[in-house]
Amino acid sequence: MNIDKTEELLKEKEALDELDQKLLHYINQVKTEEHVYRQLVNELGTWKSGNGSDSFEEASEDFLKEFGQKVSQLEAISIEISGAKQGIDALINVEMNKGPKF
């Protein structure tokens, strides 16, 4: 077993864990903000004054579509981080299994 290599892998996994937690926290904040925005749009839905209302509704739909795409990208990054963590776990297991067996 290569202790230095195992320690390096454990530090890398720890850094990925921290990054993943920060990313998940950010995703949750963004989703909360989206929810607040949607509530505001629903409350403003009673506002009906011709073209202004239509323009606002169209801009809101565009914003929410783009917003959803960005959240999806963040979630995809989170999945990649999870995959990297699993790969590091596999490498740690390989390192731990090296060396003499008792």
Side-chain angles (χ1 to χ4, degrees), residues 17 24 35 37 48-49 51 65 68-69 82 85 92 96:
D17 284 337
L24 290 174
H35 179 72
Y37 180 79
K48 301 285 183 191
S49 67
N51 293 338
K65 179 180 177 186
Q69 291 170 343
S82 294
K85 289 180 352 186
I92 290 170
M96 301 282 285

Side-chain angles (χ1 to χ4, degrees), residues 80-95:
E80 287 181 36
I81 291 171
S82 294
K85 289 180 352 186
Q86 289 175 350
I88 289 174
D89 282 339
L91 291 173
I92 290 170
N93 286 334
V94 166
E95 289 298 322

Side-chain angles (χ1 to χ4, degrees), residues 5-15 88-89 92 96:
K5 180 68 174 175
T6 302
E7 286 178 2
E8 180 183 326
L9 290 169
L10 287 170
K11 285 180 183 177
E12 191 172 332
K13 183 177 181 217
E14 186 177 306
I88 289 174
D89 282 339
I92 290 170
M96 301 282 285

Side-chain angles (χ1 to χ4, degrees), residues 1-97:
M1 173 170 70
N2 184 339
I3 293 175
D4 291 336
K5 180 68 174 175
T6 302
E7 286 178 2
E8 180 183 326
L9 290 169
L10 287 170
K11 285 180 183 177
E12 191 172 332
K13 183 177 181 217
E14 186 177 306
L16 283 172
D17 284 337
E18 185 177 322
L19 178 62
D20 194 32
Q21 288 302 312
K22 287 179 181 179
L23 183 60
L24 290 174
H25 178 74
Y26 180 71
I27 289 170
N28 287 332
Q29 282 182 319
V30 168
K31 285 182 175 182
T32 299
E33 290 176 14
E34 177 187 24
H35 179 72
V36 169
Y37 180 79
R38 286 183 185 274
Q39 284 182 318
L40 177 63
V41 169
N42 287 336
E43 289 174 18
L44 292 174
T46 59
W47 175 54
K48 301 285 183 191
S49 67
N51 293 338
S53 174
D54 293 341
S55 177
F56 176 77
E57 187 175 331
E58 185 177 315
S60 293
E61 288 173 6
D62 290 345
F63 171 80
L64 289 172
K65 179 180 177 186
E66 188 176 318
F67 191 88
Q69 291 170 343
K70 289 179 180 181
V71 170
S72 294
Q73 290 172 342
L74 290 171
E75 290 172 331
I77 292 169
S78 180
I79 290 169
E80 287 181 36
I81 291 171
S82 294
K85 289 180 352 186
Q86 289 175 350
I88 289 174
D89 282 339
L91 291 173
I92 290 170
N93 286 334
V94 166
E95 289 298 322
M96 301 282 285
N97 290 325

